[in-house]
Amino acid sequence: MKDTVIALGVGLAAGMLGGLAGVGGGVVMIPLMVGVLGVTQHRAHGTSLMALVFTGLSGAITYSMRGSVDVAAALSLAVPAVATAGLGARYAHALPEWQLKRAFGVFLTVVIVLLVAKPWLVGLAAP
């Protein structure tokens, strides 16, 4: 029962922060599942991806209802992402847990740097 309540809290945090910051709930969910719930890294990745199907739909519908979705851009992003997601999952599953943790840590570090640098990076984009 305690794990279920904690898992609900992890889901609430991931949904709110993911929707608010636009970074994806997995950035929040995976570390919390591993660190707080004691889930293995591989299971946390898989569980997060399954949960993100639903959180992504919910967030996309909400943004779409407010006219904040570029459908052409979304399809341009989604087609290659869907095509390669299975490959990425197979590769991640083949890694030993410590390597997957390290790779995820590097990913989080890159995300942090990009989020902090975003105000300066926006000025570099072509008009």
Side-chain angles (χ1 to χ4, degrees), residues 22-46:
V23 294
V27 171
V28 175
M29 258 190 262
I30 292 172
L32 290 175
M33 280 191 284
V34 172
V36 176
L37 293 173
V39 174
T40 67
Q41 192 75 25
H42 291 96
R43 186 165 295 253
H45 280 242

Side-chain angles (χ1 to χ4, degrees), residues 19 70 75 80 83-85 87 102 111 121:
D70 181 338
L75 289 173
T84 57
L87 295 171
R102 183 170 288 166
V111 168
L121 296 175

Side-chain angles (χ1 to χ4, degrees), residues 42-104:
H42 291 96
R43 186 165 295 253
H45 280 242
T47 302
S48 171
L49 285 171
M50 183 57 78
L52 291 176
V53 168
F54 303 105
T55 60
L57 280 173
S58 174
I61 289 168
T62 302
Y63 275 105
S64 180
M65 288 170 43
R66 289 170 170 70
S68 295
V69 173
D70 181 338
V71 175
L75 289 173
S76 296
L77 294 166
V79 169
V82 168
T84 57
L87 295 171
R90 275 189 229 119
Y91 178 70
H93 195 67
L95 291 174
E97 185 163 354
W98 70 269
Q99 286 182 335
L100 185 57
K101 283 183 179 183
R102 183 170 288 166
F104 188 68

Side-chain angles (χ1 to χ4, degrees), residues 111-126:
V111 168
I112 289 166
V113 169
L114 289 174
L115 287 173
V116 170
K118 186 177 178 182
W120 296 280
L121 296 175
V122 171
L124 298 176

